[in-house]
Structures are given as structure tokens and as C-alpha cells.
Amino acid sequence: MFAKQKLEFNWCAPVSGDGFYLGLPVWERPPSLEYTVEIFKTAERFGFRQILIDVSSTDRKAQKAC
């Protein structure tokens, strides 16, 4: 018999900007510490125990220059 495994979901914090669609040339919501803290608090309120944070922090203007 197989043991029951608990399914866990992680929340992703958009630390370099956020928007409704992926791949937009400019984020609809620019990055800010206040918004990131709001994301953390919301995730905690809904029971998320882990948050994924992007550490690459890409600069869209720099990408266009390349």
C-alpha cells in the first residue's frame, strides 16, 4: 500500500515587476519593496509555507540593448 503524500504549492514573489501578461515590454506594476511585502503577507495569510524568489533580477532595458 502507498503512503499518502501531502501536496504542497509554492507562491512566487514577483520582485522585478508584475503584470497580468508575461512578456510585456514594460511591467504594469513596477517593482517595489511594499508590493513584495504585500505578496509575502498574502501568501502567509492563505497558508503558503514557501515563497519562490527570483534572484536573477533581469533588467528589461539592458536586455533590449543586447
Side-chain angles (χ1 to χ4, degrees):
M1 171 137 314
F2 294 102
K4 287 187 177 181
Q5 294 184 353
K6 184 178 177 182
L7 181 61
E8 292 187 16
F9 292 92
N10 296 320
W11 194 289
C12 185
V15 295
S16 61
D18 198 8
F20 191 74
Y21 298 103
L22 294 174
L24 294 176
V26 177
W27 287 115
E28 296 166 325
R29 181 187 291 255
S32 73
L33 179 60
E34 293 80 14
Y35 182 58
T36 303
V37 169
E38 182 182 333
I39 293 288
F40 292 162
K41 288 180 179 181
T42 301
E44 183 177 40
R45 187 171 62 244
F46 283 99
F48 287 85
R49 296 176 30 182
Q50 299 180 58
I51 296 179
L52 304 173
I53 301 172
D54 180 19
V55 294
S56 65
S57 186
T58 57
D59 183 357
R60 289 177 179 236
K61 289 180 185 176
Q63 285 181 340
K64 287 183 181 179
C66 295

